[in-house]
Amino acid sequence: MKNYITIIILTALIFSACEGPLDVKPYDKYEAEFVFSVTKKAEEYVLNTYNVLPYGNSNSNGYNRLDGGDAMIASASDEAMPNMSGSTVTYLTNGSLSSTSPNPDNTWNHNYQYIRAINLGLENLDYMPEVDQELKEQYYGELIFLRAFAHFELVKRFGGIPIVTRPLNVQEDLAIPRNTFEECIDFIVGECDLAIQTLLAPEEASGGSLGRISTGAAMALKSRVLLYAASPLYNGNGYDGSGNSLICYGSASPARWEAAARAAADVINLHYYELFSGTGLTDGHTDTQTMSIGEKNYRDIFYTLAGNNELILVRTSALSNAVEKKNTPVGYTNGEGTTGPSQQIVDAYGMVNGKQIGDQESGYDPADPYTNRDPRFYASIFYNGMQWSGRAVETYIGGADNATGATNATKTGYYLSKFMKSDVKIAGSETNTYHCFPLIRYAEILLNYAEAMNEAYGPDADPEGFGKTARNAVEEVRARVLRPSDAAVTAPAGDKDAMREAIRKERRIELAFEDHRHLDVKRWMIGPETLGQNLQGMRITKNGDNYSYEVQSNVSDRVFDTKMYVYPIPQNEINKNKAMEQNPLW
Amino acid sequence: MKHKLNYSNRFKPVLYLWMVLWIAMFNLSPFQVIGNSDYLNDQNDKTVKGRVILPDGSPAFEVTVMVKETLYSALTDEKGQFSVSTTVQNPTLIFSQQDYETREITVEGNDELLVTLVPVKYIDLLWTRQKKDFVTSAVSSISGEDVENLPGVNRNNVLGGRLAGLTVQQSNGQPGLENSSIYMRGLRTLGGADRSPLILIDGYVRESAEYLNPNDIESISLLKDAAGAAIYGLRGSNGALLITTKRGKVQPLEVSLDANFGVQTPTRLPKYLGSYEHALLYNEASRNDGGVDVYDVEALDAFRTGSDPYRYPNVDWMDEFLKDYSTQQNYNVSVRGGTKQLRYFASAGYIDNTGLYNVDKDANTYNTNQDFNVYMLRSNVDVQVTPKLSASMDMSGRIQRWNYPGNMSNPISVLYQLPPNQFPVFNEDGSVAGNSQYTNNPYGLLNLSGYSINTRRVTDATFKVRHDLDMITDGLLFRAAVSFDSFFDQVVRRHKGFVVYEGSRENERGVKEPASQQNNNDIRDNMRVFDMQFGFDYARSFGKHDLNGRFFWNQNNFSGDGSTMPHTYQGVMGRMNYIYNNRYIADVSFSYQGSEQISDNQQYVLFPAVSLGWILSEEEFMKEGSSAISFLKIRGSHGLTGNDSGISYFQKMSFYEKAGSYLIGDNLRSYGGYREGVFGDPDITAEKSRKTNFGLDSRFFNDKLSFSGDIFFEETSGIILGLNDVPGILGARDMPRTNVGVVENKGFELQLGYHEQINDFSYGIQGNLSYAKSKVIDMQEQEYPFAHNYHTGYPVDAKFGYQSMGFFYDETDITNSPVQTFGPVKPGDLKYKDVTGNNIIDIDDIAYIGKSWMPEFLYGATLNMAYKGFDFSALIEGIANAEKYIDNYVYWEFTPNGTGKVMEHHLDRWAYYPDLGIDTRETAAYPRLSLTGDETNNKAPNSDFWLKDASYTRLKSVELGYSLPKKTVNYLRLSKLRIFATGYNLLTFDKIKVIDPEAPGGGNSYPIQRIVNFGINAQF
């Protein structure tokens, strides 16, 4: 009997000895203490939150590309249209946008996901025993800058949104109302001011630290935010005239332009940033072998990483030819030609002599429209006859890049060439290049400054002694690509309205396709005459060796309603959050 | 590494103890020999002699013959003969053996006895088996013979219609990937949890059970209720399909040879239009979108007349690159036999299934077709080591090999999408044709892009021992089993790009990659499963009381290098069955199982089940009542089962993961990122199904007519779903998921059978009908503005979308109708119903439009007939009350985005071009054609227009066989020789028409096959 008891005891032992296998930990997952207690991991945590900065959907495409990396937000403005059929970007232009429709530019979840990551990072800063105080402060500055940036990305699309400054909990009451527009602006500006105290200086955020957020970036963001806040869309009674505090201040104040001017002047007076000119020359009209100096200066901004002091806030991309593939006209092997720039943007480029094409003295010839244009035209647009990769671009009807029935064939007569390096190969033995996509560059600051100064003090006054007038700032931008004598702005002295037009035109072409235009025209409240106009294109026919040009008045239907000055809050968010209020008229 | 696991160290003490235990056991057990004539020999007055046979006349070996009065016993020999001596006058003899019904015979006189024993009908349950008449849970069961000769590699495909309550859906016909999805009693869960029953081979979940050798299968049972599956704990909710393989028998060696060969053809292929109609419709679609004609009159003329096949080709790619038929063959040899000491079954099989592609045999020295073959081995051996100790060693192994063209490419999708008018197969100069838009010439894909081979090697092994513990108490057994599975899946690629030329060699287009060969291989999966069981069995009868039970501990450990994460289950399980007087049955089972993935707060979960049965026909009042009723039993079960597959890897923890790198510096240094992972739920546990089942089993007129019925009710709660009501401002990367959903599922099953023998002619007919319908009680929907938006209250996967109301007639019609918000609307587009009545059609108008794809009704009818040497059987199978979308690649025009083809049904499109004499406004059955992409196309949203009734009735299988007469067979020194022909998917009646009714409604998968097969079976 004793033996049997032994068996039972042994059996029981086996059962109990096997308790262990369920007390295991996962292989590839870490707890917060583990991540934040190691300097390298803490740094990597902070660097992941940098991914909140806008970027192409698929890596290396650059800018806020939509539709899985093919359509640019530029195609939702009067700059361009998508060449792909079925692109969802058309929801933004054909009037079918609603709170329940797809909105390809809906960055709601993206930004709130990173706001959460940033808030967790801030909460865990104390966990970083190994990290020295100075680094901790730098991380703190970076995190709160990125949080402010993310909030502004939402504000400029939706108006006032809930400000979230701590990691929320699933269990808590998440019925959180929107903050007013003013509260949002104050919060973002306040955070920029805080960040400026601990961030790296601009010169420290270059070279091996290029891409890191500097005090310059925080000051530049402040400049942009205050410029937006001073603009007609917000600085008054709102687009619906109601004065609803979610979408505007409720009353106009000229002091907001003054604040915007001061913020831009602060960046300028760091005297660190400058307009980049790869050739080192500024006499823009002189031809080099393949392109003019002006054109080269301008093209080089987007793939020069070292010594490029124009970059204030930048996202870089690894060696790639994705941008080139996406944009090369379709007749080239592997060219996807996804974006078709409009006749409107083409017409906005002036002549190399600095005059607008409508000007009698400009020398513009509608029968030969692409000769002697502003160098930035050549650095931004593929046009019929342009030399590229061993042959002339053929966008005439039936040409290699506009063949009948070809996928993504242009409907406007143009393709986009900005951001592309000309010697990158996309077929055969492919070659790649670095790219950098400036999220804020110095030219924008100069134009922000010009706009704010002109609105606050007129074109030629500098009462605060910032060192430049509005006119000086615009001319500085133009002088990179034009001869100094041609860079002069023709607006009469003291004529604020004429100067406003000049500044807007300059901004339109200098910052074309850099995600500015669709928001600029909204904040200027000129939606009907810009976003509401059908997109124009150029129909080019070849007769023997000659071409004839005929402007097409409508290659893409456009609809603009007053409510489209802001996006609707996604209906899901309203359904899930009782305190969430929809934007007026939506 | 802090968290490194070392299982071998953990197991060491266990293994050590196990060995100690065994050594102890051997020393403890006094060898006892069960009573036989040598032992209990005393003065015998009388010797009773006789022979025991089976119904077919063959001898029954090793049957215990016991004199009831003296407990003296003997065994039958190889010829079935026995002799017992007794002093008792008119002794009562008890003939018993586990495979046969026990018989008692009182001997009068001195004649030699001839006793016939009837085989017991057992039903396999999980880790045990039970006599069919005493089963109290809901089980359907078939014998392996029913399906062993049916063609097709995948055994799951032939089960549809045979087992009540089992849905089988074959969605692919590709050789070696003829996977069917199988479901038991419909659907009971939502989200990502498994919906299919476990497939167990001899009690173990094994990788890809569908590739089992058809000739190895002894029986298949489907466990449907809690009484059957609760014992499987965390994985029992969807039921279990138990496959039992053949084992050795006490009989002389029996060798069986099988060979069969079949031809297969697709059941249905889409019917595409030729170049002329393609171009006509392309022009029309282009005009419809506001564009111009792409093909001019000259081109149309050339397409129509075929005058210039190089510049204006008309290629039927399907016809060009699909053969008329492909072949499959299957060879098998098995041996079976044994003595009381050693019983064995072993088999070796080979199946070969060839692809349908028309490959250019001269182009390569290697094969580029989509072929499949598998080699299979199995050996099941049972050994009686000592009178008290028995052991089994089961091993099986397989090598499966899939061959593919190129980089595992799928040429079928190209054949489905490449327009007929783009280019010929070859240019005039013999070069492979192509153009910049369509670079995938199928000829190049099939012949010029190299090949890939996917090899899978599977080895399963189980070692079991049983030891009598009757020194403790009679009927007690100790048992232990160790099982080890290994699974290795590898792909070797030898592929290269090919160049196509537009028009001639001068014009090179679409170089996809350098044409040099890429050689690489990757190991896709390398998995191991280790399973251990220890426990006790108990079986004993006390007069009218029969008790048997099993209690054991189990640990199942899965590890692998592939995408499936490691997983361990551990727990205790048990079952106790009590039968009183062969009338009243009570059965209690449970499992108390845990896994490392379940909440730390309660890591082990209890799943109990109880079932009761009452055999009314054993009652005196029934026996006296009607002789028509030969058997009648009512039964019921209730219990809890679990499903833990919805739990994501370590979901109980919140954690950080390495993800989201970022580039810094003008040298672009990449920094790896860290970020918060999926939100954890510390209380996460398995979903639980509470299941109730009532059933009745009956037989009438001497068992000729049989009827069974079941009704069931299930409620599954704690289904793991994302919290849809959490707003985006929370900032969760993925929706936090937790145990929240509730689904109800109800239904019934009826089975009716009749068999009759009239002289040499016998026939039988069995029919079954199943019904199951689920209902979502809670799926955490966000608050919708309208009641009709909610899915709650409808079956799982019920269809929601827009209700179509025909086509827009003209611009006025559009103006006067509610505004549709899915891209531009033109006459001929689908007009949707404004459910909300707010004059705009948007997602608020989404409402219930149709049934789930899961059929509510399943039915099957089998007919068997035999006359002398001939036998015939046929299965008709079908489903009803199911709907699915037929759209996208298989139904839409020019898909995707203006590429692709057009089919016959597009000729019935809406079109209005009075100048061309086209006006189908009144007769159209399809919207206007368009080249625009899907997302902004008015036809793209889910609507009932694309929803089709998925019901079908199929003549699923037919088998006609002829067994040669015994005389002839014996002359050939064989014991059996049968030739047969079988057919699979021979006839189909359905409403879908364009594709096979079982095929997926939107994709472009390899066509499902109809198979006609011839075979021979020989035994000696």
Side-chain angles (χ1 to χ4, degrees), chain A residues 39-325:
Chain A
T39 308
K40 183 170 173 287
K41 292 187 176 14
E43 176 173 37
E44 290 179 347
Y45 183 90
V46 172
L47 278 171
N48 170 52
T49 65
Y50 270 65
N51 285 305
V52 72
L53 298 174
Y55 201 41
N57 278 353
S58 44
N59 281 352
S60 322
N61 293 337
Y63 284 112
N64 190 19
R65 282 184 180 258
L66 315 168
D67 268 354
D70 282 345
M72 296 177 79
I73 191 69
S75 294
S77 74
D78 58 356
E79 288 180 323
M81 65 177 289
N83 285 338
M84 307 74 68
S85 58
S87 168
T88 54
V89 77
T90 52
Y91 276 97
L92 300 174
T93 56
N94 66 9
S96 57
L97 184 69
S98 76
S99 65
T100 52
S101 75
N103 176 352
D105 190 35
N106 174 14
T107 59
W108 189 273
N109 287 335
H110 171 81
N111 283 300
Y112 275 114
Q113 277 166 17
Y114 281 100
I115 289 172
R116 175 181 180 81
I118 291 163
N119 285 329
L120 275 172
L122 287 167
E123 197 181 66
N124 283 304
L125 269 181
D126 294 339
Y127 270 133
M128 305 182 181
E130 278 187 27
V131 183
D132 69 39
Q133 192 58 30
E134 202 176 322
L135 257 186
K136 247 187 220 181
E137 283 181 7
Q138 181 196 326
Y139 294 161
Y140 173 77
E142 289 172 355
L143 290 169
I144 66 170
F145 170 86
L146 290 168
R147 188 169 64 182
F149 188 95
H151 278 88
F152 188 61
E153 285 296 301
L154 292 164
V155 168
K156 68 188 191 186
R157 289 176 170 85
F158 298 100
I161 40 90
I163 297 171
V164 180
T165 55
R166 63 183 174 83
L168 300 171
N169 208 317
V170 194
Q171 281 80 26
E172 72 182 277
D173 180 11
L174 293 170
I176 297 172
R178 296 169 68 178
N179 289 82
T180 65
F181 178 79
E182 187 170 3
E183 285 166 351
C184 291
I185 297 298
D186 290 351
F187 167 74
I188 295 162
V189 171
E191 296 285 286
C192 286
D193 286 337
L194 266 179
I196 288 166
Q197 296 171 23
T198 60
L199 283 169
L200 295 176
E203 55 273 22
E204 292 173 308
S206 64
S209 296
L210 180 78
R212 281 230 174 249
I213 293 152
S214 67
T215 53
M219 293 160 88
L221 176 62
K222 193 175 150 187
S223 154
R224 183 189 280 180
V225 171
L226 289 173
L227 183 78
Y228 271 68
S231 299
L233 180 61
Y234 306 110
N235 195 358
N237 276 323
Y239 59 86
D240 66 337
S242 65
N244 185 327
S245 63
L246 291 175
I247 53 161
C248 64
Y249 280 104
S251 62
S253 160
R256 297 197 182 106
W257 286 116
E258 292 165 18
R262 180 173 297 279
D266 287 346
V267 184
I268 293 167
N269 290 328
L270 286 170
H271 297 298
Y272 174 77
Y273 298 110
E274 62 194 10
L275 294 178
F276 181 70
S277 57
T279 59
L281 302 168
T282 50
D283 193 357
H285 77 290
T286 315
D287 278 333
T288 66
Q289 271 186 333
T290 53
M291 59 177 98
S292 74
I293 284 170
E295 183 187 345
K296 181 162 170 48
N297 281 346
Y298 188 72
R299 254 190 205 283
D300 283 353
I301 305 169
F302 305 102
Y303 38 81
T304 308
L305 278 65
N308 184 348
N309 282 1
E310 180 159 356
L311 307 174
I312 301 177
L313 181 64
V314 65
R315 268 200 92 152
T316 51
S317 84
L319 279 175
S320 148
N321 58 14
V323 174
E324 284 76 12
K325 274 186 181 164

Side-chain angles (χ1 to χ4, degrees), chain A residues 362-378:
Chain A
S362 69
Y364 176 72
D365 175 7
D368 183 16
Y370 311 129
T371 304
N372 288 334
R373 302 296 294 269
D374 185 309
R376 286 171 291 188
F377 169 76
Y378 302 111

Side-chain angles (χ1 to χ4, degrees), chain B residues 664-693:
Chain B
I664 286 291
D666 53 13
N667 52 350
L668 295 181
R669 184 171 159 205
S670 178
Y671 289 80
Y674 274 90
R675 69 180 185 203
E676 185 185 31
V678 177
F679 274 50
D681 175 1
D683 297 321
I684 200 78
T685 187
E687 67 178 50
K688 296 185 183 75
S689 295
R690 189 173 293 283
K691 301 187 178 195
T692 309
N693 190 89

Side-chain angles (χ1 to χ4, degrees), chain B residues 108 294 543 572 584 772 795 939:
Chain B
E108 292 165 6
V294 173
V572 285
Y584 310 106
K939 75 178 178 215

Side-chain angles (χ1 to χ4, degrees), chain B residues 863-923:
Chain B
L863 173 69
N864 297 294
M865 287 189 285
Y867 178 70
K868 294 193 171 163
F870 290 96
D871 62 86
F872 172 82
S873 74
L875 169 71
I876 292 169
E877 174 242 356
I879 65 166
N881 283 19
E883 293 184 84
K884 68 177 173 186
Y885 290 116
I886 302 296
D887 57 14
N888 225 319
Y889 293 108
V890 300
Y891 204 67
W892 286 349
E893 78 281 12
F894 305 120
T895 300
N897 299 329
T899 64
K901 305 203 228 195
V902 269
M903 285 163 255
E904 276 180 0
H905 63 266
H906 293 126
L907 294 171
D908 297 330
R909 83 288 181 202
W910 190 100
Y912 180 56
Y913 286 101
D915 46 328
L916 301 173
I918 303 171
D919 181 1
T920 63
R921 290 178 296 174
E922 305 295 340
T923 56

Side-chain angles (χ1 to χ4, degrees), chain B residues 1000-1013:
Chain B
N1004 35 24
S1005 57
Y1006 195 98
I1008 290 169
Q1009 306 288 314
R1010 169 186 300 126
I1011 310 172
V1012 177
N1013 198 49

